Amino acid sequence: MEYTRLGKSGLRVSRIALGCMSYGDPAAPASYSWVLDEDAAQPFFRQAVELGITFWDTANAYGLGKSEEVVGRAIRTFSRREDVVLATKVYARIHKGSGGSGLSRKAILEQIDASLTRLGTDFVDLYQIHRFDPKTPIEETMEALHDVVRAGKARYIGASSMWAWQFATMQHVAERNGWTRFISMQDQYSLLQREEEREMFGLLAHQGVGSIPWSPLARGRVTRPWGTQTQRLETDNFGATLFTADVDKPIIDAVERVAGARDVPMAQVALAWVLQNPVVTAPIVGATKQHHLTDAVAALDIHLTDAEIKALEDPYTPRLPTGF
């Protein structure tokens, strides 16, 4: 495993992050059929520890808190709180009350306490806003997040998918008022969705903010030949609308060719491409099969040539960002 700082902060993280949306209760509200229950999830937490994957990411919205509960118990079972960089999120609707969604002061202060209770810890290392909230003044959100940090309930704060102008405005408001600024952006980035190269990455590089991409393997689409269906795309309405257009076929074919020439799984090539971007700190990998994490770690040792990168990138055509 390799380790690096998240952006220009002092927080040291593993270069692969364990995405914990896959763990919780498949029968829980706001969950999916492909989610693993606690017993089925335990081997992946053990494997992550053995591989040195110490950066674990979850959210209050995953299974309406079930993922956080499972993650909290996994830390106590397989590791130590001090050895895990623990990240969670706030924004999505958890309940119908006024503090059950959004980024108001009430919601942030209520939801951080609820997350800490479910996780069984006094603090999270990274507290992220899951999306931009257009209904709440930015000043209110940033001051509340700053107060969470000052209270010792979070060490750092981060953001997730939004327009660059929104992120820049939030950072500016924090800087102007002497409040805590974001150190990370969790954004969608893969060979099939590269719009952050135009939209967000220049800003992140300028501000020294680290990128921790979600869906770096395009919901598994770039891990298998074109035409092969995946369980997530079959059952996830969000995923089912993505990565099925004919314009994606040449990209996936290119991944297959490069992987075949190297005699490695397609997943390793696709993730190695994400990792080679200097703005990217740690792609988030959601594992539901044992080879998912071993492939992710193996990608760290793959150094693509200029010719391979060109072959992978040339078929891409511009598209709208998705996921926010």
Side-chain angles (χ1 to χ4, degrees), residues 192 217-231 233-234 242-246 248-260 264-270 289 291 295:
L192 301 188
L217 297 176
R219 278 169 159 68
R221 182 61 83 187
V222 293
T223 67
R224 47 182 61 80
W226 177 260
T228 307
Q229 186 60 283
T230 72
Q231 182 185 11
L233 284 169
E234 289 173 348
L242 300 175
F243 316 136
T244 57
D246 289 342
D248 293 328
K249 182 181 185 300
I251 305 172
I252 295 171
D253 290 346
V255 178
E256 186 178 10
R257 287 195 300 271
V258 172
V264 298
M266 291 172 64
Q268 292 184 21
V269 169
K289 296 180 181 178
H291 67 85
D295 280 346

Side-chain angles (χ1 to χ4, degrees), residues 171-191:
Q171 291 283 69
H172 175 68
V173 166
E175 183 174 10
R176 185 180 64 198
N177 290 281
W179 297 332
T180 305
R181 300 171 78 249
F182 297 124
I183 67 165
S184 63
M185 165 55 66
Q186 186 171 145
D187 41 9
Q188 184 182 186
Y189 185 57
S190 71
L191 275 165

